[in-house]
Amino acid sequence: MGPGRREDALRLRGRRSPPRPRGSSPGRLFRLPGCSLPWRCSWAIVSLLWPSSLSCSGEGPVPDGRTGGRPRQALRAAPLPRSPARRDEARRGARTRLALLVPFRERFEELLAFVPYMHRFLSKKKIRHHIFILNQVDHFRFNRASLINVGFLESGNDTDYIAMHDVDLLPLNEHLDYSFPETGPFHVASPELHPLYHYTTYVGGILLLTKQHYELCNGMSNRFWGWGREDDEFYRRIKRAGLQVRRPSGITTGYETFQHLHDPAWRKRDQKRIAAQKQEQFKVDREGGLNNVRYRIESRTDLSVAGAPCTVLNILLDCDTNETPWCTFG
């Protein structure tokens, strides 16, 4: 199996410790904010910190959207209804709770840094929160937008707003606002602060929305397989819904506001464009989103990473290869 295939997908079953990925070093260093010593995240540490039931396995894309010779049953969950009292409470911003939605595949070292750091960061700011790791375990290409749609639908009625949050982006400035975005989407990782992306319509990295506003946009498009462009399409949805994106003010740390953990030399992005994908990626998807995301939850497990709680959803996305043939590598 070629190195470009999806190997080491996080599975919460079996009895094997996760193998070290091909081409990796025995240990890699992250220097976490507030730590005087580098924190070594190796695959040996992954074995120790995660439960004994953790194993890593994976195969390349399977033709016809089948897994192990069996057709997947694509299911879609409906959002849980809220009581009028809870909606009023959320509207006032009182005692609201954040669902931190983290699209994920394979990035174990980043995840081990992210979960405890974000739990401490939000707890210090007295933000009530629940971290959801949205782990894609199917054999299709990575689909960040669909995972966020699934996370929204599965986050339950005890959360009032969401943060679409990259696993490799850590906020360093304690003045960044993660509170209830009552007046509209709040882009925490704004272009003037993000270490990499500085164009004015950028809304990726970290974006907060109330659940009502996300539903108003019909979520994100499910047509974006591989890396990039899904957040640009979502910016158009925000505008079409009549919402105004707000961004931080009074932050003086500039491009040093976040720590970006991703190492492009270590993990290549899936930027391949297949079939008509190059043309389709610039189009607005006016039909799809929350209303047609197709998926199945393989497992749902509550974990503690270095004392920080989170929920891992192992998610099987489904793809219509006639509609988006670029969801596989061919």
Side-chain angles (χ1 to χ4, degrees), residues 98-312:
L98 168 66
L100 199 72
L101 306 182
V102 187
F104 179 80
R105 185 182 246 176
E106 300 177 1
R107 299 184 177 187
F108 298 107
E109 293 170 334
E110 294 168 9
L111 183 65
L112 290 173
F114 179 88
V115 172
Y117 182 86
M118 287 306 303
H119 178 63
R120 289 193 301 269
F121 184 88
L122 294 172
S123 297
K124 185 177 180 180
K125 295 175 69 64
K126 295 181 170 53
I127 301 292
R128 298 172 67 237
H129 63 279
H130 190 136
I131 299 174
F132 292 91
I133 307 304
L134 312 174
N135 182 43
Q136 185 176 341
V137 296
D138 54 70
H139 303 302
F140 296 113
R141 300 172 72 190
F142 188 66
N143 191 323
R144 176 178 177 267
S146 288
L147 291 175
I148 292 172
N149 284 340
V150 174
F152 176 89
L153 293 171
E154 297 290 332
S155 58
N157 61 359
D158 62 341
T159 56
D160 307 283
Y161 65 114
I162 67 170
M164 302 154 56
H165 210 301
D166 287 353
V167 71
D168 59 4
L169 200 61
L170 301 181
L172 305 181
N173 192 316
E174 63 182 14
H175 297 295
L176 288 169
D177 188 5
Y178 275 75
S179 62
F180 185 74
E182 183 174 6
T183 60
F186 185 73
H187 188 209
V188 179
S190 60
E192 64 271 15
L193 302 177
H194 195 284
L196 295 180
Y197 307 116
H198 309 142
Y199 57 96
T200 57
T201 59
Y202 176 66
V203 290
I206 308 168
L207 181 67
L208 308 181
L209 297 98
T210 69
K211 287 199 164 182
Q212 289 80 7
H213 287 158
Y214 194 75
E215 288 175 335
L216 187 63
C217 296
N218 190 23
M220 303 185 77
S221 172
N222 301 300
R223 297 177 61 83
F224 291 85
W225 302 86
W227 183 82
R229 296 294 181 183
E230 78 287 335
D231 48 354
D232 295 332
E233 201 273 348
F234 188 62
Y235 177 81
R236 298 184 187 182
R237 288 175 177 243
I238 292 173
K239 289 299 189 182
R240 193 165 71 242
L243 300 173
Q244 184 68 38
V245 177
R246 298 181 303 113
R247 292 190 164 110
S249 60
I251 303 295
T252 60
T253 44
Y255 297 150
E256 302 298 320
T257 303
F258 300 95
Q259 180 177 1
H260 191 232
L261 299 179
H262 183 76
D263 181 359
W266 157 251
R267 192 181 299 284
K268 302 295 184 183
R269 298 191 188 279
D270 175 15
Q271 296 177 299
K272 189 174 181 180
R273 298 296 180 249
I274 298 169
Q277 186 178 12
K278 188 173 183 179
Q279 294 74 35
E280 292 287 331
Q281 67 184 347
F282 295 103
K283 295 181 180 179
V284 177
D285 180 6
R286 299 185 182 277
E287 303 298 329
L290 278 176
N291 63 313
N292 69 348
V293 61
R294 300 172 62 189
Y295 68 99
R296 178 162 59 89
I297 300 298
E298 183 182 69
S299 64
R300 180 186 185 109
T301 306
D302 294 325
L303 296 178
S304 177
V305 180
C310 67
T311 297
V312 176

Side-chain angles (χ1 to χ4, degrees), residues 82-92:
R82 291 194 207 176
S83 67
R86 184 152 187 85
R87 285 197 298 268
D88 291 341
E89 179 186 83
R91 196 174 296 115
R92 293 193 304 269

Side-chain angles (χ1 to χ4, degrees), residues 303-330:
L303 296 178
S304 177
V305 180
C310 67
T311 297
V312 176
L313 298 178
N314 279 349
I315 301 168
L316 288 158
L317 297 178
D318 193 36
C319 171
D320 182 346
T321 54
N322 293 320
E323 182 68 20
T324 55
W326 51 86
C327 63
T328 72
F329 285 102

Side-chain angles (χ1 to χ4, degrees), residues 6-17:
R6 301 295 189 186
E7 304 175 1
D8 309 320
L10 177 62
R11 303 263 184 161
L12 297 170
R13 63 185 184 186
R15 292 291 172 183
R16 292 178 290 117
S17 296

Side-chain angles (χ1 to χ4, degrees), residues 11 59 62-63 65-72 137-139 316:
R11 303 263 184 161
E59 302 174 11
V62 177
R66 293 174 179 265
T67 304
R70 292 172 297 175
R72 286 200 306 274
V137 296
D138 54 70
H139 303 302
L316 288 158

